[in-house]
Amino acid sequence: MARIACLECVRCGNRVSAETPQTVCAVDGGVLFVRYDMETLRRTVRRERPAELAAAAGASVGMWRYAEVLPDADPVTLGEGWTPMIQSRRYAGLLVKEEGANPTGTFKARGMSMAVTMARRYGLRHLAVPSAGNAAGALAAYAARAGIAAHLFMPKDVPMANYLEGVLYGADVTMVDGLISDCARRVAERIKEQRASGVAAEEVWFDVSSLKEPFRVEGKKTMGYELVEQMGWKYPEAVFYPTGGGVGLIGMWKAFEEMEQLGWVSGRRPRMFALQAAGCAPVARAFEEGKKVSEFYEGAETFAAGLRVPKPYGDNLILEIVRSSGGCVVASEDAAILGSIEDWAKNEGVFLSPEGAAATAAYDSLLATGELRAEDRVVLFNTGAGLKYVDAVAEAMKVRRPGSLPTSLPVGGIITPV
Ligand SMILES: Cc1ncc(COP(=O)(O)O)c(C=O)c1O
Ligand SMILES: [Zn+2]
């Protein structure tokens, strides 16, 4: 595994040691990235190494096949990563990266596996997270695995699965009447109170909010390594990524930079497409208006719960990456998202999450406008399993497809075909 050289602020370049837990840059609040000695790694680590490591491990090492480019620590793992790439039946160039295959059913497992791994190494006892839902579920699982307390704050109308995960994994769950931004405020206030009241240092919660600590990005960057390795160490032409906080997109871009430094891949980087829901589209709006940062999106509402992030902390980074890669930000209406879920289930055998379906809906609209062609090589992320959303999808169907579902299931009665 790689020794961390330092943590570096992506905004001002300030460097700090990773010997103790860090949050954001103390100078300007910028995001801290983990940096390694890339010169040494370039000389010592070949790109065949991940496959050799996986073969030697026998059991599923998942994303830890990239241990050589991840922090040196004993992993808290449930088998996350190395998810399948599914070729679309209908579009020759389209591959779906099925992140629903992860433990806890979403790509959030990657970031939380890494963050909890480091938390355990630092000896942290309490982790807190404001979440749109799936990050909370993932933190609860990995914290349970590591024997660390998890404190979850999520909107009260998240899918039932997210609440249940928190309860079952034994976390301390707070359902908030508001959005992830309100949850974040509650977490920050609690930590401030704890510090002010003089509780013992080890009892003070550590906040693992998106981009406010360095390691969730580090776990999510493995999606970038994986997609390139699974394509035979070649870049696709485009990557489609459902964007809330944008951590995966930012992580993948970091992975591309690292892989180029290591000599593992070359050529033109993919165009990065950030996909949002029209009911909560701060980044799409800023993109259209040519702005460098987004504005708080008032009245956010969409059944793609993971995309209900009204003001992403790393909005400037997302916008910079999308623009410099020649991609774009597209927001889809909930009706189109539901339509895409139905389409992919019937025609491809894939039950997309609403977030993943925001990406497929945008893919369809870009094909229709000629911005993309069906043969262009695109890797599209289905960031979660549709099965985590049965209540949300059923509700959306009841509203938009009256009569398509019974009001209650025929419990206790077997329906015999006549
Ligand atoms: C299924 C799913 N997809 C996408 C996202 C957005 O992720 P990110 O914050 O990396 O943009 C989330 C966030 O909660 C999610 O749960
Ligand atoms: Zn800084």
Side-chain angles (χ1 to χ4, degrees):
M1 283 178 155
R3 275 197 47 179
I4 299 175
C6 68
L7 303 175
E8 185 182 52
C9 172
V10 293
R11 195 174 294 164
C12 74
N14 179 33
R15 292 178 175 184
V16 289
S17 156
E19 280 310 302
T20 52
Q22 299 294 328
T23 54
V24 292
C25 173
V27 178
D28 57 7
V31 175
L32 293 177
F33 268 9
V34 178
R35 298 296 186 199
Y36 308 96
D37 176 355
M38 298 309 279
E39 268 312 303
T40 304
L41 287 178
R42 186 184 172 95
R43 275 186 276 108
T44 55
V45 189
R46 296 164 306 118
R47 70 183 186 190
E48 289 76 18
R49 182 75 185 131
E52 289 165 6
L53 215 151
S60 165
V61 290
M63 71 175 197
W64 298 94
R65 69 196 280 115
Y66 302 109
E68 302 281 10
V69 288
L70 291 172
D72 185 10
D74 182 21
V76 178
T77 176
L78 293 164
E80 54 292 331
W82 201 244
T83 53
M85 286 252 251
I86 303 170
Q87 166 70 54
S88 160
R89 278 181 60 220
R90 297 171 293 173
Y91 310 104
L94 180 57
L95 292 160
V96 172
K97 185 88 172 127
E98 181 49 288
E99 291 293 301
N102 277 301
T104 74
T106 78
F107 74 128
K108 296 281 174 185
R110 297 175 186 262
M112 285 306 180
S113 169
M114 189 72 247
V116 174
T117 291
M118 293 307 289
R120 184 170 72 178
R121 213 197 83 174
Y122 288 129
L124 296 172
R125 302 248 308 263
H126 292 268
L127 300 178
V129 77
S131 166
N134 287 318
L139 173 61
Y142 287 93
R145 187 80 182 175
I148 294 173
H151 306 275
L152 318 178
F153 289 71
M154 54 189 136
K156 68 177 186 351
D157 53 357
V158 291
M160 179 65 176
N162 296 138
Y163 171 71
L164 203 56
E165 285 178 291
V167 172
L168 282 172
Y169 290 127
D172 157 32
V173 184
T174 306
M175 305 305 281
V176 175
D177 187 8
L179 294 170
I180 187 174
S181 40
D182 302 294
C183 298
R185 200 168 48 242
R186 296 276 288 269
V187 170
E189 280 165 11
R190 282 291 285 278
I191 293 175
K192 210 167 148 195
E193 278 163 26
Q194 288 168 346
R195 291 218 180 95
S197 69
V199 238
E202 62 272 21
E203 295 303 316
V204 176
W205 299 354
F206 185 79
D207 183 355
V208 290
S209 290
S210 286
L211 300 172
K212 291 189 184 164
E213 59 76 50
F215 297 107
R216 284 175 64 189
V217 173
E218 213 48 23
K220 284 195 182 173
K221 84 174 182 188
T222 59
M223 295 190 293
Y225 278 89
E226 261 179 51
L227 79 88
V228 171
E229 183 176 356
Q230 289 175 331
M231 297 201 64
W233 300 105
K234 288 198 179 71
Y235 281 136
E237 279 153 75
V239 171
F240 273 52
Y241 180 77
T243 301
V247 185
L249 187 113
I250 294 164
M252 283 191 272
W253 201 248
K254 180 178 193 280
F256 298 157
E257 186 184 319
E258 289 178 359
M259 278 188 281
E260 288 167 13
Q261 289 170 349
L262 293 167
W264 290 10
V265 70
S266 58
R268 192 185 189 287
R269 280 196 206 174
R271 298 169 70 195
M272 301 300 278
F273 288 78
L275 298 325
Q276 300 211 292
C280 182
V283 185
R285 187 178 277 173
F287 183 80
E288 273 157 33
E289 293 173 352
K291 299 207 171 118
K292 286 194 169 154
V293 292
S294 67
E295 268 166 43
F296 189 93
Y297 202 90
E298 298 293 343
E301 201 183 325
T302 168
F303 81 123
L307 304 184
R308 274 195 316 177
V309 181
K311 170 75 175 127
Y313 193 70
D315 51 3
N316 59 322
L317 299 174
I318 303 169
L319 285 158
E320 221 175 272
I321 292 166
V322 169
R323 287 193 177 114
S324 69
S325 72
C328 68
V329 190
V330 179
S332 299
E333 298 289 344
D334 276 11
I337 294 175
L338 178 62
S340 209
I341 291 177
E342 294 167 324
D343 174 44
W344 273 75
K346 283 199 185 82
N347 295 307
E348 302 263 2
V350 178
F351 186 176
L352 297 168
S353 59
E355 295 83 356
T360 50
Y363 179 84
D364 289 344
S365 69
L366 293 166
L367 277 188
T369 60
E371 172 81 10
L372 271 184
R373 293 164 308 160
E375 58 274 20
D376 291 340
R377 280 176 313 139
V378 174
V379 174
L380 182 149
F381 279 80
N382 179 35
T383 40
L387 281 171
K388 279 196 95 171
Y389 296 81
V390 282
D391 49 347
V393 174
E395 187 55 36
M397 286 177 73
K398 276 184 195 157
V399 173
R400 293 178 194 278
R401 311 268 186 269
S404 67
L405 292 176
T407 47
S408 65
L409 291 179
V411 177
I414 295 171
I415 301 171
T416 321
V418 279

